[in-house]
Amino acid sequence: MPLSPADTLENNPDPTPAEAAHTHDEHNHEHEHEHEPQHSHGPVLNPDCTREMVLDVPAEEVSKSFRRVTREYQRHAKIPGFRPGKVPEAVIRRRFANEIRKEVIDTLLPERFNQAVRDLGVTPVGQPQVTDLTVEEGSPLHVKAVFEFIPAFSIEGYQNVTVPKPPVEITEEEVKQELEHLRESRATIEPVEEVRAMVDGDWAQISYTGTVEAEPEAAPVSGEDSLVEIGGKDTVEAFTTALRGAMPGQTINVAATYPAEYPEKRLSGKTVDYTIEVKGIKKRNLPELGDEFAKEVGSFENLADLEKRVRENLTNRKKRGVESDTKDKLFAALIERFPFPVPESLVQEQIDAHLERGLRALASQGMEPEQMRKLDFGRLRAAQRDSAAAEVKTSLLLARIANEENVTVSDEEVDREIHIAALQSREPVDALKVRLTEDGGLARIREQLKREKTAHLLYERLPG
């Protein structure tokens, strides 16, 4: 069933490790990144997770850096009217003033900032926001920046946090329904030879032309030799009413009003005046449920063998569902037991990742870029705020518990995820591995797997 924008963008689950290979890892924050202060106004920071830092670089070092950078530009600059390496220093300083200044900043600040952060003993996240910056040749460089960090929090007693762990039970009714779905998937539709009126359960073979009311200039809605199930759950009620009791050869006029949530946007909420030509009646025939059916479905010896496989598949499916729901409840219980503030930059990264995956899903379903641009992103971001914060907290808690439990991920496990990602992206494994190594994707996959293993460990320990 096609996802609505709200379903896709507001309720998107965490990525698998393979998906993490293609997106920013919104949870990977247990290792320290190298940070370069940026003179910009980013998102509002969480004051409970924010530190301010002031750095000053002596004027002598600043001047030395200006001279060195200027000489480099002088050596390599190509300016009409001057030979390479012979451009006057004054011309270089005037022509490349902004570039030289930026390179001086890039030379003097990053390592000093990283060392100062290490001295503080905190784990920074996101990019620092520069609130004050003064840099001129011959004067001290002065910078004031604020950055978010992962606050200290306790996980003492996490082993005692439990939630109910429901048993996984499959009923005979569920097995029966699954077998019925298999029968329906193998059903055939054949012509009805006898001359009679159509009844519920029949399939009408029709051709039709329709005009959208209040839109006479719009292209007509039409179809040839279409099949419509009388009384079917996907059949518009007006069609069922008009075709019930009709005979082949009849021409019927009917006005059909489509619900606002109708998946075909052109028709949703509209009324269409149809002229329908009934060409024939067809009947759906379900295969008999027996040993021969089991052999046709797959490599099963008999019906009992098929039922066994159906039961196993249902059990595994329900087990995954129960495990997922129970883990969600356990995560919520851990968050309640160990409250702590989270950096806003991590929350916004999580929302960004959700939106990115959601938009990719909508694009794969055929949504055009101009339609995407009309989405209310402010509303979508606000709707995800609480869940994103909870996911960040869960990630940080699982990372801490993983360290406490000495959870490790082998190279073989990472390689398996890389192969899955390569299949999904249709990219050569070796090329993908090189790219992930360069952009930190391997670390993201490893951390995601570690969190998943930790969550499974906690789930298995729950009393059942």
Side-chain angles (χ1 to χ4, degrees), residues 358-373:
L359 291 174
R360 283 204 305 267
L362 291 175
S364 69
Q365 294 172 24
M367 179 176 278
E368 297 296 329
E370 57 268 21
Q371 291 177 291
M372 293 186 189
R373 283 192 286 269

Side-chain angles (χ1 to χ4, degrees), residues 12-28 349-350 352-358 360 421 424 432 435-436 439-445 448 451:
N12 207 305
D14 282 341
T16 63
E19 289 174 331
H22 303 288
T23 61
H24 294 292
D25 180 18
E26 57 269 23
H27 298 314
N28 184 27
E349 284 179 19
Q350 184 78 323
D352 288 341
H354 280 202
L355 288 173
E356 184 180 348
R357 290 196 299 274
R360 283 204 305 267
Q424 291 177 345
L432 177 59
R435 178 168 65 80
L436 293 175
D439 69 7
L442 290 182
R444 293 196 294 270
I445 291 175
Q448 179 68 18
R451 288 190 294 273

Side-chain angles (χ1 to χ4, degrees), residues 373-431:
R373 283 192 286 269
K374 294 178 182 178
L375 295 173
D376 187 346
F377 286 97
R379 182 185 65 82
L380 291 171
R381 296 188 74 88
Q384 295 181 77
R385 178 65 179 71
D386 290 344
S387 62
E391 288 166 3
V392 171
K393 288 183 179 182
T394 297
S395 178
L396 295 174
L397 283 165
L398 288 177
R400 283 284 302 278
I401 295 172
N403 290 338
E404 192 74 18
E405 296 283 349
N406 295 316
V407 176
T408 59
V409 174
S410 67
D411 291 341
E412 290 75 17
E413 290 172 307
V414 174
D415 285 340
R416 184 166 58 248
E417 293 301 326
I418 292 174
H419 278 78
I420 293 173
L423 288 173
Q424 291 177 345
S425 63
R426 299 180 181 179
E427 186 175 357
V429 173
D430 291 341

Side-chain angles (χ1 to χ4, degrees), residues 266-318:
R266 180 189 176 190
L267 301 178
S268 61
K270 304 289 181 61
T271 297
V272 182
D273 295 320
Y274 284 105
T275 298
I276 303 171
E277 180 186 352
V278 182
K279 293 189 171 182
I281 308 174
K282 295 196 174 184
K283 193 75 175 177
R284 187 176 67 161
N285 295 321
L286 292 173
E288 184 179 348
L289 195 61
D291 292 342
E292 288 302 315
F293 174 75
K295 292 175 183 178
E296 291 178 5
V297 169
S299 55
F300 302 104
E301 294 183 3
N302 49 44
L303 181 59
D305 194 17
L306 172 59
E307 288 180 348
K308 179 182 177 183
R309 177 66 62 83
V310 166
R311 197 178 303 276
E312 290 173 352
N313 290 342
L314 280 172
T315 300
N316 290 333
R317 191 190 311 162
K318 180 168 281 190

Side-chain angles (χ1 to χ4, degrees), residues 139-405:
S139 300
L141 184 152
H142 172 81
V143 63
K144 183 184 294 184
V146 293
F147 65 93
E148 287 189 304
F149 65 95
I150 298 174
F153 57 90
S154 170
I155 58 169
E156 184 178 355
Y158 71 87
Q159 304 93 332
N160 302 322
V161 178
T162 63
V163 294
K165 185 179 180 180
V168 178
E169 298 175 348
I170 301 300
T171 66
E172 291 304 314
E173 182 60 28
E174 288 174 317
V175 175
K176 182 180 177 181
Q177 289 178 0
E178 193 69 14
L179 289 171
E180 194 62 25
H181 290 157
L182 281 174
R183 286 183 70 204
E184 291 176 355
S185 70
R186 298 274 173 162
T188 59
I189 296 180
E190 300 174 358
V192 174
E193 301 298 339
E194 63 176 305
V195 179
R196 63 171 177 79
M198 287 185 287
V199 297
D200 284 12
D202 285 339
W203 288 74
Q205 181 181 357
I206 65 172
S207 293
Y208 60 89
T209 300
T211 302
V212 180
E213 288 187 2
E215 297 181 17
E217 302 301 323
V221 182
S222 61
E224 291 289 334
D225 293 321
S226 299
L227 291 176
V228 177
E229 183 183 8
I230 310 302
K233 67 181 189 315
D234 296 324
T235 303
V236 176
E237 182 60 33
F239 269 70
T240 288
T241 301
L243 293 171
R244 185 186 288 132
M247 303 277 289
Q250 276 189 254
T251 298
I252 301 171
N253 295 315
V254 61
T257 300
Y258 292 85
E261 64 276 10
Y262 194 72
E264 189 174 344
K265 296 300 181 184
R266 180 189 176 190
L267 301 178
S268 61
K270 304 289 181 61
T271 297
V272 182
D273 295 320
Y274 284 105
T275 298
I276 303 171
E277 180 186 352
V278 182
K279 293 189 171 182
I281 308 174
K282 295 196 174 184
K283 193 75 175 177
R284 187 176 67 161
N285 295 321
L286 292 173
E288 184 179 348
L289 195 61
D291 292 342
E292 288 302 315
F293 174 75
K295 292 175 183 178
E296 291 178 5
V297 169
S299 55
F300 302 104
E301 294 183 3
N302 49 44
L303 181 59
D305 194 17
L306 172 59
E307 288 180 348
K308 179 182 177 183
R309 177 66 62 83
V310 166
R311 197 178 303 276
E312 290 173 352
N313 290 342
L314 280 172
T315 300
N316 290 333
R317 191 190 311 162
K318 180 168 281 190
K319 183 179 180 181
R320 288 193 297 270
V322 167
E323 182 172 346
S324 177
D325 291 343
T326 304
K327 284 178 181 177
D328 287 343
K329 291 181 174 65
L330 177 59
F331 298 157
L334 286 168
I335 289 173
E336 184 177 3
R337 173 67 177 79
F338 304 110
F340 60 94
V342 292
E344 183 62 22
S345 55
L346 299 190
V347 176
Q348 294 303 317
E349 284 179 19
Q350 184 78 323
I351 294 173
D352 288 341
H354 280 202
L355 288 173
E356 184 180 348
R357 290 196 299 274
L359 291 174
R360 283 204 305 267
L362 291 175
S364 69
Q365 294 172 24
M367 179 176 278
E368 297 296 329
E370 57 268 21
Q371 291 177 291
M372 293 186 189
R373 283 192 286 269
K374 294 178 182 178
L375 295 173
D376 187 346
F377 286 97
R379 182 185 65 82
L380 291 171
R381 296 188 74 88
Q384 295 181 77
R385 178 65 179 71
D386 290 344
S387 62
E391 288 166 3
V392 171
K393 288 183 179 182
T394 297
S395 178
L396 295 174
L397 283 165
L398 288 177
R400 283 284 302 278
I401 295 172
N403 290 338
E404 192 74 18
E405 296 283 349

Side-chain angles (χ1 to χ4, degrees), residues 63-82:
S63 295
K64 183 178 179 180
S65 182
F66 265 101
R67 289 194 298 270
R68 182 190 61 77
V69 173
T70 301
R71 283 196 299 269
E72 285 297 312
Y73 271 84
Q74 193 173 14
R75 184 178 298 116
H76 299 290
K78 295 180 179 179
I79 297 178
F82 298 95

